[in-house]
Amino acid sequence: MYRITVFRGDGIGVEVAEQAIKVVRKLGEKHHLVFEIEEALIGGVSIDKHGVPVTPEALKQAKESDAVFLGAVGGPKWDGLESSKRPEKGLLSLRRELGAYANLRPVRVFGDLAKKSTLKEEIVSGIDFVIVRELTGGIYFGEPRGIFVLPDGRGEQGINTEVYTTPEIERIAEKAFECARRRKRRLTSVDKANVLESSQLWRKVVEEVHKRYPDVTLDHRYVDDCAMQLIREPKQFDVILTNNMFGDILSDEAAMLTGSIGMLASASVGDHCALYEPVHGSAPDIAGKDIANPLASILSVAMMMEHSFNLLELSQSVENAVEKTLGDGFRSADIYQEGMRQVGCSEMGDLIVERIA
Ligand code: NAD
C-alpha cells in the first residue's frame, strides 16, 4: 500500500489535483495496487479554516506519507496578508518539513507542441532534459542578509550571501548523477566559478562526486553560457545540475521552450518523502472555469510513480497516455492549435484515464 497526501490548495490547484487523483485511482485499479489518498489543507483554504497557511497536523500527515502531491496555492483574496501569514508560506513550510533540497524539473516537448513555442519548431521539437536545482541553500537563505544603514549615513546597503557547504553540494550532486544514470548519462554542472568562490567549491565537490559515477559524462558550464545555450541548442542537454538561484532563473527560461507552463511537472526530493507539484501557480484568472491544463499535474503523478515508488511501468504508461491524447488532437485552451479539439480540464483528465486503460 502507498499512502499519498494530496493538498489541492487554491484556485486551479483544486481542479488539476482532481485530475491527478483520477489518474492515481486508475493506475491502482489497473495494476491491483492500493494507493491510499488522504487530503489535507494548505494555502488560502487553510488560512480560511484554521487561520494559518498550514497546520502542524497537516505537516505531520505529509511527513508520514509515502509521497505528497500539491496543486497550487495563493490568490488575490490573501494577497494583503503579511508574508509570514500568506498562502505561499505554507508551501515553504512543507518543503522545509520534508527536507526537500532537490528540485527535479523535466523539460520535455510532447508531440507537436513545439509549434506553440516562441522559438523555431526545429530548435525545440524533441527537447527532453531535466534541471536538478538545489532548493534549500545558497543566496536565498545565506546569512548575513538584510538592508543596513551605511555607517557614514549616506544611505543604505542591501546584503545577501551565497553560501554552500561540502555536504550540501555532495547530496544534490548525488541526486543529479543518479538522475543522469536513469537517462542518457550526461550531466552538465552550471556555476559561475570564474567569479564566485562558492561556485569554485561547487565545481570541486561535483568533480569529487563524479569519481563515484564514472559511467556518467560530466561537463561544466558558466551560467551565462548555459542561459545562451538553452536558447541556441537546447537539445544538447540531458541533466543540468545547478544551485538555487541559477536554477530558479534557468528553469523558468527552459519552461518557455515547451509551449505552456501548464505542461511542466516537478518533484522536490530530499530527506523524507518527496513532494510532487505542477510548476504553475493557482491561476486566479482562470480558476473555477474548468479550462486549466491538468497535464503538468498528471505528469507529476508519473514522476511520483517513478521516483517515490519505483513503478517505472506505471510512470511510462502515464507519459504514453499524455503523448497519445495530444497525438489524438485534444488540447486544453493554453496549448490549443487550429484544427485540434479544445477540451476542458476535467475532460482532459478523463481522456488520459481512458488511454491509461
Ligand atoms: P500562475 O502560474 O498561477 O499563472 C500565470 C499564467 O499562466 C496565468 O495567465 C495563468 O492563467 C496561466 N496558467 C497557469 N497554469 C495554467 C494551467 N495549468 N493551464 C492553463 N494556464 C495556466 O502564476 P501567477 O499568476 O504569477 O500567480 C497566481 C497565484 O499563484 C499567486 O498567488 C502566486 O503567489 C501563486 N503561485 C503559486 C505557486 C505554487 O503553488 N507552487 C507557484 C507560482 C505562483
Side-chain angles (χ1 to χ4, degrees), residues 304-343:
M304 181 191 291
M305 295 299 142
E306 179 183 344
H307 293 277
S308 284
F309 307 146
N310 203 26
L311 297 169
L312 303 186
E313 189 194 332
L314 276 69
S315 168
Q316 196 58 56
S317 75
V318 175
E319 288 194 3
N320 291 347
V322 170
E323 193 84 63
K324 177 103 182 47
T325 306
L326 294 170
D328 289 344
F330 296 102
R331 295 283 190 277
S332 49
D334 57 319
I335 50 172
Y336 177 73
Q337 290 158 255
E338 228 179 288
M340 303 284 169
R341 204 182 122 211
Q342 191 170 321
V343 294

Side-chain angles (χ1 to χ4, degrees), residues 12 16 70-76 79 86 88 91 95 260-263 277-286 291-294 296 332 334:
I12 63 165
V16 295
L70 183 139
V73 296
D79 276 352
R86 285 172 58 111
E88 293 78 3
L91 179 53
R95 285 180 182 154
S260 169
I261 195 165
M263 294 298 300
E277 48 180 327
V279 166
H280 61 74
S282 60
D285 52 336
I286 57 168
I291 57 170
N293 183 349
S332 49
D334 57 319

Side-chain angles (χ1 to χ4, degrees), residues 142-189:
E143 297 285 347
R145 62 183 298 160
I147 298 176
F148 305 96
V149 177
L150 284 172
D152 63 7
R154 283 195 304 154
E156 295 171 305
Q157 57 180 344
I159 300 181
N160 291 93
T161 310
E162 165 89 353
V163 189
Y164 272 111
T165 63
T166 305
E168 278 178 313
I169 305 168
E170 263 171 4
R171 65 183 187 176
I172 187 76
E174 279 163 10
K175 287 272 185 258
F177 278 109
E178 293 292 342
C179 179
R181 253 192 189 157
R182 291 192 298 270
R183 298 172 49 89
K184 294 183 208 128
R185 296 173 185 253
R186 288 203 327 267
L187 180 65
T188 304
S189 176

